[in-house]
Amino acid sequence: MRTKSDFINIDKSKLFRKLLRVRMVEEELVRRHSEQEMRCPIHFCIGREAIAVALCESLKISDYTVSTHRAHAHYLTKGGSLYAMISEFYGKSTGCAAGRGGSMHLIDRNVGFVGCVPIVGSTIPIGVGLAFGSMLQKNDKVTVIFFGDGSTEEGAFYESLNFALMNNLRVIFMCENDFYAVSTHITKRRRNDEAIIRIVEGFGIGAYRFDGQDCNSLAKKLASIVDDVRSNGKPVFVQCDTYRYTGNCGPESDSRPDDEVSRWKERDPVKLMQEKLLNAKVLSTDQIEQFKAEIAAEIQEAFDKAQAAPFPLRPDLNKFVFKDASNSL
Ligand SMILES: Cc1ncc(C[n+]2csc(CCOP(=O)(O)OP(=O)(O)O)c2C)c(N)n1
């Protein structure tokens, strides 16, 4: 049966370029991490990039997103400034949180990236609050809440699901299931890995489970979901299965089984999409090389400018600590 998503036209080469861009930013961060100049904890999303790329492709700038401690892909694909993000990692005053927040407090209100917070599960009710505001203002903005499978172990998640459902809020609960919370596998936390979606279905909410590594196919499915949420005014829950290549925090790997890591790397989202586009002659090797050169130049410029930018001034250090209308960001 053909579904609505079969008719959605996604520009595959544009999508691939976005995917490649997030991967290359992450790889450059990994390379520079040991220099010890970025003094904040960094949670890498290498391996998991396709979900944000696929979903944000169908969002409008005016739509809202919120995220967690692992937010780079979400911030960048919603349109957050790369320079402001890198500046933030270096603690500079040009950072998106004025150098106060580091990698777990990214924000760019100009593009609807309302924020991210390291307290697991904490941004779920915040996202629902944004959607409630949109409902009161009678606009059709969609709010996307990105979170990991670990967040589904917080009570706030279930209260938020119920509230969104009872109030017909335009929310996409996007669970990036990488099977681990820090280093504990989901099967050590729940009876089986179908548990999350089964529990969520019990609320009566529309729930989907997708492969998170095939960016193009995911983009089509999610485009259809975004469209439905916007027109029906109802929340949905989406679980995308994926994997991170690094440990929980920092670029080092951890003690997850080698065969498991290599199995997931065989379905690397960038490699997978690149192969498909080359085989289908949608892109040539030269075009991919050109993308890489353009992105590398953009990244280099962002790092150069961020490193040269000033640190916050000592007399200003208390600014933005408490709410103060006169100096809000
Ligand atoms: C309320 C709370 N408890 C514990 C932690 C410590 N912690 C940091 S990351 C993490 C695992 C989160 O796993 P998941 O939600 O699946 O996100 P992922 O890291 O896989 O993106 C935990 C427990 C925290 N930050 N907040």
Side-chain angles (χ1 to χ4, degrees):
M1 192 185 76
R2 285 175 77 82
T3 62
K4 192 167 64 167
S5 63
D6 291 327
F7 299 99
I8 291 170
N9 197 13
I10 304 275
D11 182 337
K12 296 189 187 72
S13 71
K14 219 175 88 192
L15 197 69
F16 176 70
R17 194 186 187 286
K18 289 183 186 170
L19 185 65
L20 190 61
R21 180 173 179 263
V22 181
R23 171 63 58 89
M24 287 177 67
V25 170
E26 290 290 271
E27 285 175 343
E28 187 59 20
L29 284 167
V30 166
R31 263 193 293 278
R32 303 216 186 204
H33 193 267
S34 61
E35 292 167 2
Q36 294 285 315
E37 284 182 31
M38 294 176 278
R39 307 294 297 171
C40 58
I42 297 184
H43 298 78
F44 292 92
C45 65
I46 305 186
R48 295 177 28 165
E49 306 93 334
I51 302 164
V53 175
L55 180 49
C56 288
E57 186 63 12
S58 299
L59 296 181
K60 299 179 186 173
I61 287 238
S62 53
D63 290 330
Y64 294 132
T65 50
V66 292
S67 175
T68 66
H69 54 286
R70 202 176 303 284
H72 308 172
H74 312 142
Y75 167 94
L76 289 172
T77 52
K78 189 65 177 53
S81 153
L82 176 62
Y83 165 55
M85 180 176 111
I86 303 297
S87 295
E88 189 56 41
F89 294 175
Y90 281 99
K92 298 300 180 74
S93 58
T94 48
C96 55
R100 270 55 166 192
S103 84
M104 298 189 284
H105 296 93
L106 303 179
I107 181 166
D108 194 339
R109 287 198 192 137
N110 294 327
V111 296
F113 189 86
V114 185
C116 56
V117 178
I119 306 302
V120 170
S122 65
T123 35
I124 300 177
I126 293 174
V128 167
L130 289 165
F132 191 55
S134 297
M135 189 204 72
L136 294 177
Q137 288 163 359
K138 297 192 181 2
N139 65 48
D140 70 350
K141 288 184 190 189
V142 171
T143 298
V144 172
I145 306 172
F146 287 103
F147 53 91
D149 46 285
S151 289
T152 67
E153 282 142 32
E154 294 287 345
F157 169 59
Y158 299 98
E159 295 180 24
S160 301
L161 265 185
N162 196 47
F163 187 85
L165 195 62
M166 295 310 289
N167 288 284
N168 293 327
L169 304 183
R170 291 185 171 84
V171 179
I172 299 178
F173 291 92
M174 172 52 81
C175 175
E176 294 183 355
N177 174 36
D178 68 4
F179 298 86
Y180 284 88
V182 186
S183 52
T184 311
H185 194 267
I186 192 158
T187 49
K188 294 210 171 93
R189 292 148 37 213
R190 296 196 182 266
R191 253 181 58 195
N192 58 50
D193 76 356
E194 277 291 299
I196 298 174
I197 196 145
R198 292 280 165 264
I199 296 168
V200 168
E201 278 169 345
F203 279 73
I205 193 171
Y208 305 85
R209 185 171 184 180
F210 297 139
D211 168 16
Q213 305 308 82
D214 183 339
C215 192
N216 185 49
S217 139
L218 191 58
K220 283 191 189 175
K221 291 180 179 128
L222 295 176
S224 174
I225 286 176
V226 170
D227 200 38
D228 281 349
V229 169
R230 202 182 301 283
S231 50
N232 300 339
K234 290 216 171 74
V236 297
F237 170 87
V238 184
Q239 174 179 331
C240 290
D241 296 338
T242 187
Y243 203 74
R244 63 175 148 77
Y245 296 169
T246 59
N248 177 57
C249 186
E252 295 80 23
S253 61
D254 54 17
S255 56
R256 289 170 300 164
D258 289 344
D259 59 330
E260 181 181 282
V261 178
S262 38
R263 220 173 34 248
W264 277 95
K265 285 190 176 173
E266 281 166 24
R267 299 203 67 250
D268 176 79
V270 178
K271 201 175 86 181
L272 212 63
M273 193 166 185
Q274 176 166 311
E275 274 168 15
K276 280 193 183 173
L277 296 188
L278 284 172
N279 289 341
K281 301 208 179 333
V282 174
L283 278 176
S284 65
T285 318
D286 282 353
Q287 281 168 304
I288 293 174
E289 287 310 311
Q290 193 187 328
F291 284 169
K292 285 187 182 165
E294 289 164 5
I295 297 167
E298 185 203 353
I299 295 174
Q300 181 71 47
E301 190 188 336
F303 271 92
D304 289 348
K305 274 175 64 187
Q307 283 180 304
F311 284 107
L313 297 173
R314 190 174 284 270
D316 290 342
L317 281 180
N318 287 333
K319 266 190 173 178
F320 317 127
V321 175
F322 297 104
K323 174 68 183 159
D324 174 358
S326 65
N327 67 26
S328 60
L329 277 172

